[in-house]
PDB file of all heavy atoms in Angstrom:
ATOM      1  N   ASP A 225      43.511  13.048 -53.061  1.00 97.00           N
ATOM      2  CA  ASP A 225      42.682  12.728 -54.228  1.00 97.00           C
ATOM      3  C   ASP A 225      41.335  12.160 -53.780  1.00 97.00           C
ATOM      4  O   ASP A 225      40.285  12.485 -54.390  1.00 97.00           O
ATOM      5  CB  ASP A 225      43.399  11.732 -55.131  1.00 97.00           C
ATOM      6  CG  ASP A 225      44.594  12.308 -55.839  1.00 97.00           C
ATOM      7  OD1 ASP A 225      44.674  13.579 -55.888  1.00 97.00           O
ATOM      8  OD2 ASP A 225      45.454  11.568 -56.326  1.00 97.00           O
ATOM      9  N   TYR A 226      41.355  11.359 -52.744  1.00 96.00           N
ATOM     10  CA  TYR A 226      40.102  10.733 -52.252  1.00 96.00           C
ATOM     11  C   TYR A 226      39.126  11.799 -51.725  1.00 96.00           C
ATOM     12  O   TYR A 226      37.933  11.757 -51.977  1.00 96.00           O
ATOM     13  CB  TYR A 226      40.445   9.714 -51.170  1.00 96.00           C
ATOM     14  CG  TYR A 226      39.315   8.735 -50.921  1.00 96.00           C
ATOM     15  CD1 TYR A 226      39.056   7.688 -51.774  1.00 96.00           C
ATOM     16  CD2 TYR A 226      38.554   8.858 -49.744  1.00 96.00           C
ATOM     17  CE1 TYR A 226      38.032   6.789 -51.546  1.00 96.00           C
ATOM     18  CE2 TYR A 226      37.509   7.967 -49.512  1.00 96.00           C
ATOM     19  CZ  TYR A 226      37.279   6.955 -50.433  1.00 96.00           C
ATOM     20  OH  TYR A 226      36.222   6.069 -50.187  1.00 96.00           O
ATOM     21  N   ILE A 227      39.701  12.776 -51.005  1.00 97.00           N
ATOM     22  CA  ILE A 227      38.857  13.851 -50.474  1.00 97.00           C
ATOM     23  C   ILE A 227      38.302  14.663 -51.597  1.00 97.00           C
ATOM     24  O   ILE A 227      37.134  15.081 -51.552  1.00 97.00           O
ATOM     25  CB  ILE A 227      39.696  14.672 -49.452  1.00 97.00           C
ATOM     26  CG1 ILE A 227      39.939  13.869 -48.190  1.00 97.00           C
ATOM     27  CG2 ILE A 227      38.976  15.981 -49.111  1.00 97.00           C
ATOM     28  CD1 ILE A 227      40.874  14.503 -47.219  1.00 97.00           C
ATOM     29  N   GLU A 228      39.111  14.930 -52.615  1.00 96.00           N
ATOM     30  CA  GLU A 228      38.624  15.688 -53.772  1.00 96.00           C
ATOM     31  C   GLU A 228      37.481  14.926 -54.466  1.00 96.00           C
ATOM     32  O   GLU A 228      36.483  15.533 -54.900  1.00 96.00           O
ATOM     33  CB  GLU A 228      39.761  15.950 -54.722  1.00 96.00           C
ATOM     34  CG  GLU A 228      39.446  16.944 -55.828  1.00 96.00           C
ATOM     35  CD  GLU A 228      39.092  18.303 -55.293  1.00 96.00           C
ATOM     36  OE1 GLU A 228      39.532  18.663 -54.204  1.00 96.00           O
ATOM     37  OE2 GLU A 228      38.352  19.031 -56.032  1.00 96.00           O
ATOM     38  N   GLN A 229      37.635  13.622 -54.595  1.00 95.00           N
ATOM     39  CA  GLN A 229      36.564  12.795 -55.195  1.00 95.00           C
ATOM     40  C   GLN A 229      35.274  12.924 -54.362  1.00 95.00           C
ATOM     41  O   GLN A 229      34.169  13.000 -54.880  1.00 95.00           O
ATOM     42  CB  GLN A 229      37.007  11.351 -55.271  1.00 95.00           C
ATOM     43  CG  GLN A 229      38.094  11.057 -56.293  1.00 95.00           C
ATOM     44  CD  GLN A 229      38.513   9.585 -56.226  1.00 95.00           C
ATOM     45  OE1 GLN A 229      37.687   8.694 -56.163  1.00 95.00           O
ATOM     46  NE2 GLN A 229      39.784   9.351 -56.225  1.00 95.00           N
ATOM     47  N   ALA A 230      35.465  12.896 -53.025  1.00 95.00           N
ATOM     48  CA  ALA A 230      34.293  13.001 -52.145  1.00 95.00           C
ATOM     49  C   ALA A 230      33.598  14.331 -52.326  1.00 95.00           C
ATOM     50  O   ALA A 230      32.366  14.414 -52.265  1.00 95.00           O
ATOM     51  CB  ALA A 230      34.748  12.817 -50.686  1.00 95.00           C
ATOM     52  N   ARG A 231      34.356  15.411 -52.529  1.00 95.00           N
ATOM     53  CA  ARG A 231      33.756  16.728 -52.747  1.00 95.00           C
ATOM     54  C   ARG A 231      32.910  16.735 -54.038  1.00 95.00           C
ATOM     55  O   ARG A 231      31.803  17.245 -54.069  1.00 95.00           O
ATOM     56  CB  ARG A 231      34.845  17.780 -52.802  1.00 95.00           C
ATOM     57  CG  ARG A 231      35.393  18.203 -51.460  1.00 95.00           C
ATOM     58  CD  ARG A 231      36.034  19.567 -51.503  1.00 95.00           C
ATOM     59  NE  ARG A 231      36.415  19.984 -50.151  1.00 95.00           N
ATOM     60  CZ  ARG A 231      37.608  19.801 -49.651  1.00 95.00           C
ATOM     61  NH1 ARG A 231      38.561  19.200 -50.366  1.00 95.00           N
ATOM     62  NH2 ARG A 231      37.901  20.191 -48.417  1.00 95.00           N
ATOM     63  N   HIS A 232      33.494  16.199 -55.093  1.00 93.00           N
ATOM     64  CA  HIS A 232      32.784  16.135 -56.395  1.00 93.00           C
ATOM     65  C   HIS A 232      31.524  15.293 -56.256  1.00 93.00           C
ATOM     66  O   HIS A 232      30.466  15.638 -56.813  1.00 93.00           O
ATOM     67  CB  HIS A 232      33.657  15.583 -57.482  1.00 93.00           C
ATOM     68  CG  HIS A 232      34.763  16.574 -57.886  1.00 93.00           C
ATOM     69  ND1 HIS A 232      34.500  17.871 -58.292  1.00 93.00           N
ATOM     70  CD2 HIS A 232      36.124  16.417 -57.984  1.00 93.00           C
ATOM     71  CE1 HIS A 232      35.614  18.455 -58.616  1.00 93.00           C
ATOM     72  NE2 HIS A 232      36.631  17.612 -58.394  1.00 93.00           N
ATOM     73  N   TYR A 233      31.642  14.189 -55.520  1.00 93.00           N
ATOM     74  CA  TYR A 233      30.484  13.287 -55.337  1.00 93.00           C
ATOM     75  C   TYR A 233      29.386  14.015 -54.582  1.00 93.00           C
ATOM     76  O   TYR A 233      28.193  13.885 -54.886  1.00 93.00           O
ATOM     77  CB  TYR A 233      30.926  12.034 -54.596  1.00 93.00           C
ATOM     78  CG  TYR A 233      29.780  11.038 -54.476  1.00 93.00           C
ATOM     79  CD1 TYR A 233      29.537  10.082 -55.441  1.00 93.00           C
ATOM     80  CD2 TYR A 233      28.987  10.997 -53.329  1.00 93.00           C
ATOM     81  CE1 TYR A 233      28.502   9.182 -55.321  1.00 93.00           C
ATOM     82  CE2 TYR A 233      27.989  10.110 -53.180  1.00 93.00           C
ATOM     83  CZ  TYR A 233      27.730   9.185 -54.172  1.00 93.00           C
ATOM     84  OH  TYR A 233      26.690   8.273 -54.004  1.00 93.00           O
ATOM     85  N   ALA A 234      29.778  14.754 -53.510  1.00 91.00           N
ATOM     86  CA  ALA A 234      28.793  15.477 -52.698  1.00 91.00           C
ATOM     87  C   ALA A 234      28.037  16.482 -53.554  1.00 91.00           C
ATOM     88  O   ALA A 234      26.819  16.697 -53.373  1.00 91.00           O
ATOM     89  CB  ALA A 234      29.469  16.135 -51.540  1.00 91.00           C
ATOM     90  N   GLN A 235      28.774  17.147 -54.457  1.00 90.00           N
ATOM     91  CA  GLN A 235      28.094  18.097 -55.347  1.00 90.00           C
ATOM     92  C   GLN A 235      27.151  17.379 -56.305  1.00 90.00           C
ATOM     93  O   GLN A 235      26.040  17.857 -56.542  1.00 90.00           O
ATOM     94  CB  GLN A 235      29.168  18.882 -56.113  1.00 90.00           C
ATOM     95  CG  GLN A 235      30.015  19.809 -55.256  1.00 90.00           C
ATOM     96  CD  GLN A 235      31.182  20.410 -56.002  1.00 90.00           C
ATOM     97  OE1 GLN A 235      31.367  20.138 -57.185  1.00 90.00           O
ATOM     98  NE2 GLN A 235      31.966  21.255 -55.310  1.00 90.00           N
ATOM     99  N   ALA A 236      27.597  16.256 -56.867  1.00 89.00           N
ATOM    100  CA  ALA A 236      26.765  15.531 -57.796  1.00 89.00           C
ATOM    101  C   ALA A 236      25.521  14.982 -57.105  1.00 89.00           C
ATOM    102  O   ALA A 236      24.438  14.817 -57.727  1.00 89.00           O
ATOM    103  CB  ALA A 236      27.580  14.420 -58.429  1.00 89.00           C
ATOM    104  N   LEU A 237      25.656  14.662 -55.833  1.00 87.00           N
ATOM    105  CA  LEU A 237      24.553  14.019 -55.101  1.00 87.00           C
ATOM    106  C   LEU A 237      23.421  15.021 -54.927  1.00 87.00           C
ATOM    107  O   LEU A 237      22.217  14.621 -54.774  1.00 87.00           O
ATOM    108  CB  LEU A 237      25.047  13.588 -53.727  1.00 87.00           C
ATOM    109  CG  LEU A 237      24.183  12.580 -52.956  1.00 87.00           C
ATOM    110  CD1 LEU A 237      24.036  11.295 -53.737  1.00 87.00           C
ATOM    111  CD2 LEU A 237      24.817  12.316 -51.574  1.00 87.00           C
ATOM    112  N   GLN A 238      23.692  16.314 -54.948  1.00 85.00           N
ATOM    113  CA  GLN A 238      22.655  17.333 -54.805  1.00 85.00           C
ATOM    114  C   GLN A 238      21.735  17.346 -56.009  1.00 85.00           C
ATOM    115  O   GLN A 238      20.575  17.745 -55.897  1.00 85.00           O
ATOM    116  CB  GLN A 238      23.330  18.707 -54.602  1.00 85.00           C
ATOM    117  CG  GLN A 238      24.064  18.807 -53.287  1.00 85.00           C
ATOM    118  CD  GLN A 238      24.733  20.158 -53.112  1.00 85.00           C
ATOM    119  OE1 GLN A 238      24.716  21.007 -54.038  1.00 85.00           O
ATOM    120  NE2 GLN A 238      25.342  20.377 -51.966  1.00 85.00           N
ATOM    121  N   SER A 239      22.237  17.010 -57.176  1.00 81.00           N
ATOM    122  CA  SER A 239      21.396  17.002 -58.388  1.00 81.00           C
ATOM    123  C   SER A 239      21.834  15.868 -59.312  1.00 81.00           C
ATOM    124  O   SER A 239      22.408  16.052 -60.346  1.00 81.00           O
ATOM    125  CB  SER A 239      21.492  18.319 -59.124  1.00 81.00           C
ATOM    126  OG  SER A 239      22.825  18.634 -59.419  1.00 81.00           O
ATOM    127  N   PRO A 240      21.610  14.584 -58.855  1.00 74.00           N
ATOM    128  CA  PRO A 240      22.046  13.442 -59.651  1.00 74.00           C
ATOM    129  C   PRO A 240      21.289  13.375 -60.999  1.00 74.00           C
ATOM    130  O   PRO A 240      20.087  13.543 -61.039  1.00 74.00           O
ATOM    131  CB  PRO A 240      21.678  12.280 -58.767  1.00 74.00           C
ATOM    132  CG  PRO A 240      20.587  12.747 -57.887  1.00 74.00           C
ATOM    133  CD  PRO A 240      20.882  14.203 -57.633  1.00 74.00           C
ATOM    134  N   GLY A 241      22.036  13.161 -62.047  1.00 73.00           N
ATOM    135  CA  GLY A 241      21.451  13.072 -63.379  1.00 73.00           C
ATOM    136  C   GLY A 241      21.462  11.656 -63.913  1.00 73.00           C
ATOM    137  O   GLY A 241      21.729  10.700 -63.165  1.00 73.00           O
ATOM    138  N   THR A 242      21.222  11.523 -65.152  1.00 67.00           N
ATOM    139  CA  THR A 242      21.205  10.204 -65.809  1.00 67.00           C
ATOM    140  C   THR A 242      22.605   9.587 -65.731  1.00 67.00           C
ATOM    141  O   THR A 242      23.588  10.224 -65.987  1.00 67.00           O
ATOM    142  CB  THR A 242      20.801  10.343 -67.251  1.00 67.00           C
ATOM    143  OG1 THR A 242      19.575  11.001 -67.367  1.00 67.00           O
ATOM    144  CG2 THR A 242      20.724   9.002 -67.961  1.00 67.00           C
ATOM    145  N   GLY A 243      22.614   8.331 -65.366  1.00 72.00           N
ATOM    146  CA  GLY A 243      23.894   7.609 -65.277  1.00 72.00           C
ATOM    147  C   GLY A 243      24.610   7.782 -63.976  1.00 72.00           C
ATOM    148  O   GLY A 243      25.730   7.278 -63.786  1.00 72.00           O
ATOM    149  N   PHE A 244      23.983   8.477 -63.012  1.00 78.00           N
ATOM    150  CA  PHE A 244      24.623   8.630 -61.671  1.00 78.00           C
ATOM    151  C   PHE A 244      24.682   7.297 -60.974  1.00 78.00           C
ATOM    152  O   PHE A 244      23.716   6.559 -60.872  1.00 78.00           O
ATOM    153  CB  PHE A 244      23.826   9.603 -60.822  1.00 78.00           C
ATOM    154  CG  PHE A 244      24.386   9.815 -59.442  1.00 78.00           C
ATOM    155  CD1 PHE A 244      25.412  10.686 -59.232  1.00 78.00           C
ATOM    156  CD2 PHE A 244      23.860   9.093 -58.380  1.00 78.00           C
ATOM    157  CE1 PHE A 244      25.934  10.878 -57.949  1.00 78.00           C
ATOM    158  CE2 PHE A 244      24.351   9.259 -57.094  1.00 78.00           C
ATOM    159  CZ  PHE A 244      25.408  10.145 -56.895  1.00 78.00           C
TER     160      PHE A 244
END
Side-chain angles (χ1 to χ4, degrees):
D225 291 342
Y226 197 76
I227 290 172
E228 190 62 25
Q229 291 177 44
R231 282 202 175 94
H232 288 306
Y233 183 87
Q235 292 172 359
L237 198 60
Q238 294 177 357
S239 55
T242 304
F244 178 82

